[in-house]
Amino acid sequence: MLRGQTAIITGAGSGLGAALATRFANEGANVALLDIDGKRAQEIAGRLPSHQTLALQADVREPDDLQAAVAATIETFGKLDTVIPNAGIWDYNRSVTRHSGAELAQVFDEVFAINVKGYLLTVEATWRELVKTRGSIIMTLSNAAFYAAGGGPIYTASKFADRGLMLQFAYELAPKVRVNAVAVGGMRTDLRGPAALGLETRSFQQTLDRRPARSNPYIPLHDISTEPETFTGPYVMLASSREAGNITGAIINADGGIAARGFQNSAGGDEL
């Protein structure tokens, strides 16, 4: 479906980003894997056809890193069709009641620098090339962009901000660039926490591993898979001008149906 396209994916060294890089390459796309840890990006790229991949070290908070990555992508593959701002960190549900104002200020600056400024700067670095190809941007959002308890107040605010960025970019870059998003649910990834709280080495997968395998009684699809590759389909569809050429400013919710939960303590029922 994506044969001949070129995509840039940030946070591609692990988790959803790595799964997206793999899926896009399998769909025939050339993929530039950007990650703050260049070795992790190289490891993922090493599992894929070498002529289709380019591993690059880039900190999404640094405009020069992103500009250099775009230049390298164009030099290698000749064009850019799809950009997926995906790099992020989580706040581990840390409530406003658990920390001092000074601690919250530090966490806010760190989370927003990666989750929001990183998305803004990724778009700034790439939009000119996307205009040339009439390409698309697909932003990774979260159920926290719609609902409480997908994170603490800082992570939730960052994902609401990303939702606003997506809509604004869809407006500003139309009609030449489509801009959409996928709001994913929790999955087994290496998503880390803020260094300001000493959580930079803690993985989100450790949180999910405490739950029964493939079971979440709080969402309608109880046995929704939490493996990153199962979330990649909407991105492939949105990246295709044939399948989604008339879609912009839209969000696909891939969260197991949280909006349909209702008022029961658990979703659905044994009688179904």
Side-chain angles (χ1 to χ4, degrees):
M1 184 183 291
L2 304 180
R3 188 167 302 280
Q5 282 202 25
T6 297
I8 282 178
I9 303 171
T10 69
S14 65
L16 178 60
L20 287 167
T22 301
R23 177 68 185 273
F24 271 59
N26 289 340
E27 293 285 341
N30 303 314
V31 184
L33 296 84
L34 277 60
D35 200 272
I36 194 170
D37 186 334
K39 290 183 179 179
R40 292 199 310 182
Q42 289 173 356
E43 288 174 2
I44 301 302
R47 305 171 192 170
L48 303 171
S50 59
H51 67 281
Q52 288 182 246
T53 58
L54 177 66
L56 298 165
Q57 189 281 328
D59 185 334
V60 295
R61 297 168 290 188
E62 299 296 334
D64 289 346
D65 282 9
L66 291 166
Q67 295 289 351
V70 173
T73 301
I74 298 303
E75 181 180 359
T76 302
F77 298 122
K79 63 171 185 167
L80 180 60
D81 301 281
T82 300
V83 172
I84 303 179
N86 172 75
I89 60 173
W90 194 46
D91 66 359
Y92 278 88
N93 270 323
R94 294 305 178 97
S95 168
V96 69
T97 64
R98 292 186 59 183
H99 297 284
S100 68
E103 289 172 327
L104 290 171
Q106 287 183 306
V107 174
F108 181 95
D109 290 345
E110 185 176 355
V111 171
F112 266 68
I114 297 171
N115 291 10
V116 184
K117 183 169 73 173
Y119 278 26
L120 174 66
L121 295 179
T122 299
V123 171
E124 190 285 324
T126 58
W127 71 265
R128 296 165 187 83
E129 296 299 331
L130 294 173
V131 165
K132 295 176 185 177
T133 60
R134 301 187 77 90
S136 73
I137 297 166
I138 310 167
M139 296 171 61
T140 294
L141 299 185
S142 162
N143 53 42
F146 292 88
Y147 313 110
I154 295 174
Y155 181 79
T156 299
S158 76
K159 287 304 173 182
F160 266 80
D162 287 338
R163 183 177 166 188
L165 281 179
M166 185 277 295
L167 285 172
Q168 183 66 20
F169 292 148
Y171 168 74
E172 291 187 7
L173 299 178
K176 294 186 177 180
V177 180
R178 296 182 297 110
V179 186
N180 297 290
V182 181
V184 298
M187 65 186 81
R188 284 182 163 81
T189 73
D190 196 36
L191 183 66
R192 301 300 179 94
L197 295 178
L199 295 173
E200 69 274 20
T201 61
R202 183 175 173 183
S203 171
F204 182 71
Q205 181 169 334
Q206 296 169 340
T207 299
L208 287 184
D209 283 346
R210 299 189 189 100
R211 299 178 183 171
R214 294 176 60 87
S215 177
N216 186 339
Y218 301 108
I219 59 175
L221 297 182
H222 294 181
D223 61 348
I224 181 175
S225 173
T226 55
E227 299 306 317
E229 57 268 19
T230 66
F231 292 84
T232 60
Y235 292 84
V236 173
M237 187 271 285
L238 289 172
S240 168
S241 59
R242 177 179 178 180
E243 302 298 331
N246 60 351
I247 301 175
T248 197
I251 301 172
I252 295 177
N253 294 74
D255 58 16
I258 295 172
R261 180 182 174 189
F263 293 103
Q264 294 193 92
N265 289 330
S266 61
D270 292 336
E271 70 279 4
L272 295 178

